[in-house]
Amino acid sequence: MIEMQNVTKSYGDFKAVDNLSLHVDSGELLVILGPSGCGKSTTLRLMNKMAERTSGTIKIKDKDIDSFVEEDLRKGIGYVIQSIGLFPHMNVWKNIATVPQLLGWENSSIDRRVDELLLLVGLKPENYRYKKPSQLSGGEAQRVGVARALASDPDILLMDEPFGAVDPINRLRLQKEFRQIQRRLGKTVVFVTHDIDEAILLGDRICIMNHGKVVSLDTPENVVLHSKDDFVDSFFKGEGILTILSRKNVGDYMEEIPWEGEEIVQDSTLKEALSLMLLTGEDRVPVKGGSISFNRILQVVGRDINEKA
Amino acid sequence: MRRPNGNIVAALVLIVILAMIVIYSIEFEELLYRYFSTKNSTGSRTPLLVYFGQHIWMVLVSSVIAVGIGVGVGIFATTKSGEEFRDPLLKVVNLGQAFPSPALLALVVPILGYGYEGALIALVVYALMPIVYNVVVGIQEVPEDIVDAAVGMGMTPYQLYKKIKIPLALNVILGGIRTALVINISAATLAAAVGAGGLGVLVVNGVRTFDMVLILQGAIPVTIMAVIAELLLKEAQSRLSF
Ligand SMILES: Nc1ncnc2c1ncn2[C@@H]1O[C@H](COP(=O)(O)OP(=O)(O)OP(=O)(O)O)[C@@H](O)[C@H]1O
Ligand SMILES: [Mg+2]
């Protein structure tokens, strides 16, 4: 879907992106992770020509991005900028309607689309449709930002730290919801973050960058558990393993052994099950239709660890 | 959305007062004589209405022209192709605002001669300064990230100006137009000195003959007009900008 080959972006002598190659499959969520200033935003902006590359080629849907009219390329790609950038003089409806209006949709279909998107990002249309951005909380604004990027139903979404301004609790909920939305709609997403947990939770693959270069590009499991790179190791510092557990559902690993106590649902994550064990002091917690044990969780992680070792 | 509106009410009251002064100019003159003068020299002069009409016409024409040119030049200076002009233009415009209006008029006469055209051009030039300045600064002050989001969504430069930059800069732009209009209303008084008519004729004659009444007859309507313009544009600003 997206293909970058030997792409370099220089500002004077400084290479913000340095001979970078990567590809993103259709329907894949690729996370770009790395320290501040490593070139994440720049990489993203090269894809929709918000930044002009110095050398290399970029293809979107097998077509060189230079073969598109710039505006048309951008209209076909949802883009959430790092600071959201809602238009302060327009209400939520108008913000979301921007690209459909540029594309000349009829008002009635825009109306329907705006309501649909607000519901999708968990905002009641009747409460939010006519609010001004100044009347939204940071988290609500970011949801609107995401809805706006999805408005014309683009196949590709570029998202630059879209949940950066949300408090940790709501962020987790947003992340999970977004993951579901992305799966359901089959969108191809490039998602920039410098939050390790967010990367592990969301990514099909994680691209770790440093100094404008790709240091590692692999599945979260492999990046966290099998890294052979010192920078990656130092970046994660052993963190992330619990987040790996939060990618996995209890339902997939439970046993049909009945157990006393308050049940958790099968959609709960292994991380939640583990937390509950630590809280109750027992090495097994009941799940609807059975239970899951501490040993099982160890096995799951162990298998991941040993798979490739 | 309806709120009691001080600006509009005050403007309406002033418009009524101004209309009364113009319509009952004879009575107004008598009133002024009672308080401000010992000599009574009511002669048949050109009626106030004529000066008033000339004045308003001069202000309107010069302001419309200045808004047209000023907004155009200002917008151009904020575009990519106008980038090089921007800083020099801002410097000129800043200096221009400090340039005394009588001096500007005095400069125009030798070039364009006595009369209406010269005064009009001087007024246009003078009104251009705050308009151009505010258009450029207003558009430059539109936050970078908002422009970034708009461009990233695929807006063409034209759409960017129409939907984002100008609406967001409108408050500042209207502020410039307001300043220009108020300045022009009072600067048009000086136009009389180059023979272009207007309420300034009364003031100039009054100064020459030490006639307080004549001065006030010209100055009071000018002041009221300036205040009305100020109020109405303030109102427009608060309504049109987000
Ligand atoms: N327009 C520009 N001119 C000069 N240097 C730039 C420009 N844009 C970015 N850079 C530099 O390029 C480098 C990469 O910037 P980029 O915005 O891609 O970083 P990032 O990884 O997104 O960082 P963050 O996590 O802080 O957002 C930085 O060192 C930055 O200073
Ligand atoms: Mg960034």
Side-chain angles (χ1 to χ4, degrees):
Chain A
M1 204 65 160
I2 304 171
E3 177 104 40
M4 297 179 84
Q5 274 166 6
N6 310 104
V7 174
T8 297
K9 171 69 187 175
S10 311
Y11 292 110
D13 288 340
F14 174 73
K15 287 179 176 166
V17 171
D18 188 358
N19 196 28
L20 176 140
S21 300
L22 60 79
H23 72 96
V24 190
D25 293 328
S26 177
E28 183 182 27
L29 196 161
L30 179 78
V31 171
I32 301 181
L33 177 69
S36 194
C38 70
K40 304 182 295 294
S41 298
T42 307
T43 304
L44 207 62
R45 294 168 67 84
L46 288 169
M47 296 178 185
N48 62 357
K49 279 196 141 184
M50 290 299 284
E52 198 68 48
R53 65 195 180 284
T54 311
S55 64
T57 50
I58 303 177
K59 285 181 184 164
I60 300 258
K61 296 180 191 169
D62 292 325
K63 278 172 74 182
D64 195 301
I65 55 169
D66 288 346
S67 68
F68 293 88
V69 175
E70 265 177 46
E71 283 87 14
D72 293 342
L73 175 76
R74 293 184 194 128
K75 269 181 265 190
I77 299 177
Y79 180 40
V80 183
I81 64 167
Q82 194 157 356
S83 49
I84 320 174
L86 292 185
F87 306 136
H89 59 307
M90 298 182 185
N91 61 24
V92 167
W93 188 96
K94 282 195 176 151
N95 264 285
I96 298 179
T98 305
V99 176
Q101 281 182 335
L102 292 180
L103 293 171
W105 290 20
E106 281 180 22
N107 264 344
S108 57
S109 23
I110 298 181
D111 267 333
R112 239 176 295 125
R113 183 68 182 152
V114 169
D115 284 4
E116 194 179 298
L117 285 163
L118 283 173
L119 284 174
L120 190 72
V121 296
L123 300 173
K124 277 207 179 89
E126 59 273 26
N127 294 348
Y128 286 91
R129 218 184 274 136
Y130 301 119
K131 282 202 173 174
K132 283 285 177 77
S134 58
Q135 299 168 308
L136 302 173
S137 73
E140 288 164 348
Q142 291 200 309
R143 283 161 191 252
V144 173
V146 172
R148 184 173 70 170
L150 285 166
S152 66
D153 203 19
D155 303 326
I156 298 175
L157 279 177
L158 307 178
M159 309 178 83
D160 201 343
E161 307 199 24
F163 306 138
V166 192
D167 63 278
I169 295 169
N170 278 306
R171 184 193 301 203
L172 188 63
R173 198 176 69 223
L174 260 181
Q175 286 163 343
K176 286 181 174 166
E177 285 169 5
F178 175 70
R179 183 66 171 141
Q180 280 173 3
I181 293 170
Q182 183 262 338
R183 284 277 158 81
R184 192 163 75 232
L185 304 179
K187 301 290 179 199
T188 306
V189 179
V190 184
F191 191 109
V192 165
T193 182
H194 55 230
D195 178 329
I196 294 170
D197 289 324
E198 184 166 73
I200 297 171
L201 193 67
L202 293 178
D204 290 316
R205 288 186 302 152
I206 299 178
C207 168
I208 297 175
M209 284 184 69
N210 195 24
H211 299 310
K213 289 186 155 84
V214 175
V215 181
S216 157
L217 208 174
D218 211 332
T219 60
E221 281 83 358
N222 287 339
V223 168
V224 174
L225 303 170
H226 309 296
S227 165
K228 294 180 191 73
D229 187 280
D230 286 346
F231 172 77
V232 177
D233 280 344
S234 70
F235 196 71
F236 281 91
K237 289 196 229 71
E239 278 180 53
I241 194 146
L242 285 173
T243 315
I244 293 279
L245 288 180
S246 66
R247 288 170 58 88
K248 298 177 188 295
N249 281 344
V250 167
D252 298 335
Y253 301 97
M254 58 184 285
E255 298 146 307
E256 284 179 12
I257 303 169
W259 197 252
E260 282 294 304
E262 204 172 317
E263 285 178 348
I264 55 175
V265 292
Q266 297 195 0
D267 274 353
S268 308
T269 64
L270 289 185
K271 184 178 173 183
E272 287 164 326
L274 181 64
S275 308
L276 204 62
M277 289 172 192
L278 296 174
L279 278 173
T280 58
E282 297 192 47
D283 62 358
R284 184 177 283 277
V285 292
V287 185
K288 211 169 169 54
S291 60
I292 187 159
S293 70
F294 182 62
N295 274 335
R296 189 84 183 97
I297 294 176
L298 282 186
Q299 276 170 22
V300 173
V301 180
R303 200 189 51 215
D304 267 336
I305 291 176
N306 295 323
E307 232 168 37
K308 256 201 177 172
Chain B
M1 281 298 287
R2 277 230 154 271
R3 59 207 144 90
N5 207 310
N7 287 342
I8 290 281
V9 173
L12 282 176
V13 170
L14 286 173
I15 287 172
V16 170
I17 294 176
L18 187 60
M20 303 274 278
I21 291 177
V22 175
I23 296 168
Y24 299 104
S25 55
I26 313 268
E27 287 80 353
F28 178 58
E29 193 176 322
E30 281 167 2
L31 190 76
L32 289 176
Y33 270 116
R34 202 165 322 146
Y35 291 103
F36 293 104
S37 185
T38 45
K39 53 181 178 178
N40 196 336
S41 67
T42 31
S44 65
R45 278 195 313 266
T46 320
L48 188 59
L49 185 63
V50 171
Y51 292 130
F52 181 73
Q54 288 173 336
H55 202 100
I56 282 209
W57 183 245
M58 210 151 41
V59 169
L60 278 184
V61 171
S62 62
S63 298
V64 167
I65 296 173
V67 168
I69 299 175
V71 171
V73 169
I75 288 177
F76 174 72
T78 63
T79 60
K80 262 232 153 66
S81 19
E83 220 171 357
E84 322 158 32
F85 297 99
R86 189 155 61 225
D87 290 335
L89 185 71
L90 276 183
K91 277 200 191 99
V92 168
V93 159
N94 243 337
L95 273 178
Q97 271 176 295
F99 200 77
S101 45
L104 184 67
L105 269 172
L107 279 180
V108 164
V109 173
I111 303 169
L112 289 155
Y114 233 60
Y116 178 71
E117 273 86 29
L120 200 66
I121 287 172
L123 289 179
V124 168
V125 171
Y126 213 56
L128 272 176
M129 309 298 167
I131 296 176
V132 170
Y133 183 82
N134 279 35
V135 169
V136 173
V137 170
I139 290 178
Q140 271 182 326
E141 274 174 358
V142 173
E144 195 63 44
D145 61 322
I146 287 167
V147 173
D148 212 49
V151 174
M153 292 166 85
M155 285 194 191
T156 60
Y158 170 74
Q159 288 163 337
L160 180 65
Y161 272 88
K162 186 177 154 206
K163 289 173 177 266
I164 307 295
K165 286 191 168 177
I166 292 175
L168 284 176
L170 198 58
N171 194 17
V172 181
I173 294 176
L174 286 174
I177 294 177
R178 193 179 91 201
T179 310
L181 204 57
V182 172
I183 288 178
N184 246 4
I185 289 173
S186 68
T189 314
L190 292 164
V194 296
L199 291 163
V201 173
L202 299 173
V203 179
V204 171
N205 285 344
V207 170
R208 202 162 43 217
T209 60
F210 300 104
D211 188 342
M212 186 72 161
V213 169
L214 262 172
I215 295 176
L216 286 176
Q217 259 185 318
I220 291 176
V222 167
T223 311
I224 297 179
M225 273 163 66
V227 176
I228 292 172
E230 167 93 9
L231 288 169
L232 288 182
L233 269 152
K234 254 202 185 126
E235 188 56 28
Q237 256 178 307
S238 71
R239 288 202 179 196
L240 293 176
S241 42
F242 73 98

